[in-house]
Amino acid sequence: MPDRLRRLRRTANLREMFREVLVRPRDLIYPVFVREGISSPEPIESMPGQFRLPVSGMAKAAREAHELGVGALLLFGLPARKDDRGSAAFEGDGVVQQAIKAAKDKCPEMTVITDVCLCAYTPHGHCGVLSTKDGSVLNDETLPLLADMAVSHAEAGADIVGPSSMMDRQVLAVRDGLDASGYGDTAIIAYSAKFASAFYGPFRDAADSAPSHGDRSSYQHDPANARHARQELIADEEEGADILMVKPGLAYLDIVRLARETSDLPVAAYNVSGEYSMVKAAAERGWLDERKIVLESLTAFKRAGANLIITYHAPDAARWLSEV
Ligand SMILES: [Zn+2]
């Protein structure tokens, strides 16, 4: 047994040489909210430093992220109109479809990922169509709508689509829909291990997607259930996912490791809004060093086995990483 382990920690150069994981700006995915019907960015109160952008702000956002070396943008739409089927989600001139085109038009090199779910597009805020009998979320009735939404994003130029509603067989439905429409090259990032989490609180404010009644625990994972999450990771790979995702991130690094050990697909972890807002709130009070906390957290994601990290810190982190 080596009993002098400090030898390799002695100098900065040695520590650098023996660092096991590195975070690169390319590993980061920046989530962006785009809202129909506004003309200038709206600050998101519960997420300091984040904004809801108008479509006209997308070109600049894409260009800036690209210049910082950020790997991709992940788009969330806030439509002007909501209905029970979430039909604004799959219209050719919907807010996300316009945003994809605006980003790709000015910055074709930027990889664009889109969220594929109905919750921001329905007045009830649930991730699928509701039963008129008992108000439950209907799985199979939701699948074709998700497929249509994904196809319309691919048509607009999205590189990767992210079905996130946690309906059973959503990855299969989206894959079939894309293939049947000639979008065999559009990849799928599957929200496979998405837990019913209180860490999403600020996001619901940002995306105006809080459910009007009940919660999402009938379709998202119970935070206690790692084995259940594993079953979903396996199912999503079999259904045709290209990338598996774990959400939330920091409280779920064991699940990130589980995903890494369960599949050879790339693994993404979502460093969610609540995690972001806690860091920002503590940093504002001077209780934490924001830069150090963020870089340490991102390193922890990589160490746990994530290839990609979806994070609101992406532009800041990319800047900091290029300085070190
Ligand atoms: Zn949803």
Side-chain angles (χ1 to χ4, degrees):
M1 275 296 286
D3 67 341
R4 295 288 171 187
L5 290 165
R6 286 180 53 194
R7 275 181 204 126
L8 302 185
R9 298 175 215 156
R10 195 169 48 83
T11 67
N13 276 353
L14 283 167
R15 291 193 290 276
E16 183 100 11
M17 277 178 75
F18 294 103
R19 192 153 293 148
E20 294 175 22
V21 294
L22 290 175
V23 183
R24 307 168 305 164
R26 276 279 177 270
D27 303 326
L28 307 178
I29 298 170
Y30 185 38
V32 172
F33 301 96
V34 53
R35 177 171 218 164
E36 196 168 20
I38 58 171
S39 53
S40 54
E42 285 178 354
I44 300 167
E45 209 178 319
S46 55
M47 300 175 70
Q50 303 302 311
F51 297 84
R52 298 182 201 91
L53 298 182
V55 170
S56 61
M58 278 310 304
K60 184 164 170 268
R63 174 60 56 199
E64 279 174 6
H66 181 65
E67 279 165 10
L68 288 166
V70 168
L73 299 180
L74 169 58
L75 302 187
F76 292 91
L78 287 85
R81 182 174 53 79
K82 302 190 184 209
D83 62 38
D84 284 342
R85 285 166 50 82
S87 44
F90 37 89
E91 286 167 352
D93 62 349
V95 62
V96 166
Q97 291 80 352
Q98 289 184 50
I100 300 164
K101 288 179 198 153
K104 284 287 186 184
D105 192 37
K106 284 288 175 304
C107 190
E109 318 88 305
M110 190 73 212
T111 299
V112 175
I113 309 175
T114 59
D115 183 75
V116 174
C117 189
L118 300 178
C119 49
Y121 297 84
T122 56
H124 49 72
H126 275 288
C127 299
V129 178
L130 297 190
S131 155
T132 47
K133 282 188 213 129
D134 59 8
S136 62
V137 178
L138 299 171
N139 194 90
D140 294 6
E141 287 75 356
T142 302
L143 297 178
L145 305 181
L146 298 175
D148 285 353
M149 188 175 179
V151 168
S152 74
H153 290 175
E155 232 160 43
D159 301 284
I160 304 175
V161 294
S164 69
S165 75
M166 293 300 285
M167 296 298 115
D168 287 334
R169 300 186 183 171
Q170 63 179 4
V171 173
L172 185 63
V174 165
R175 185 70 271 156
D176 285 349
L178 290 169
D179 291 349
S181 306
Y183 295 105
D185 286 339
T186 307
I188 297 177
I189 181 166
Y191 284 66
S192 308
K194 183 178 183 184
F195 290 84
S197 170
F199 284 101
Y200 306 148
F203 178 96
R204 289 173 188 166
D205 167 33
D208 186 24
S209 65
S212 59
H213 63 278
D215 59 28
R216 298 195 171 114
S217 44
S218 76
Y219 40 103
Q220 297 178 350
H221 290 293
D222 185 317
N225 290 357
R227 290 193 293 272
H228 222 149
R230 187 165 178 274
Q231 289 178 306
E232 194 103 24
L233 289 158
I234 294 168
D236 282 0
E237 176 164 4
E238 285 173 356
E239 287 177 31
D242 300 281
I243 306 151
L244 300 175
M245 194 206 295
V246 176
K247 183 180 180 183
L250 287 172
Y252 293 79
L253 290 182
D254 59 324
I255 309 294
V256 173
R257 168 63 61 179
L258 182 67
R260 174 70 295 139
E261 287 170 355
T262 298
S263 169
D264 287 328
L265 292 181
V267 172
Y270 200 141
N271 179 213
V272 300
S273 58
E275 300 168 38
Y276 172 85
S277 299
M278 288 193 297
V279 170
K280 292 302 260 191
E284 265 175 18
R285 285 161 178 75
W287 293 348
L288 287 177
D289 181 327
E290 180 179 354
R291 175 181 166 140
K292 284 186 175 168
I293 284 285
V294 169
L295 294 179
E296 182 179 333
S297 301
L298 298 177
T299 303
F301 280 113
K302 296 284 287 195
R303 194 193 61 232
N307 304 92
L308 300 166
I309 306 153
I310 302 162
T311 179
Y312 302 96
H313 298 291
D316 286 337
R319 214 171 283 121
W320 295 328
L321 288 166
S322 64
E323 287 164 14
V324 288

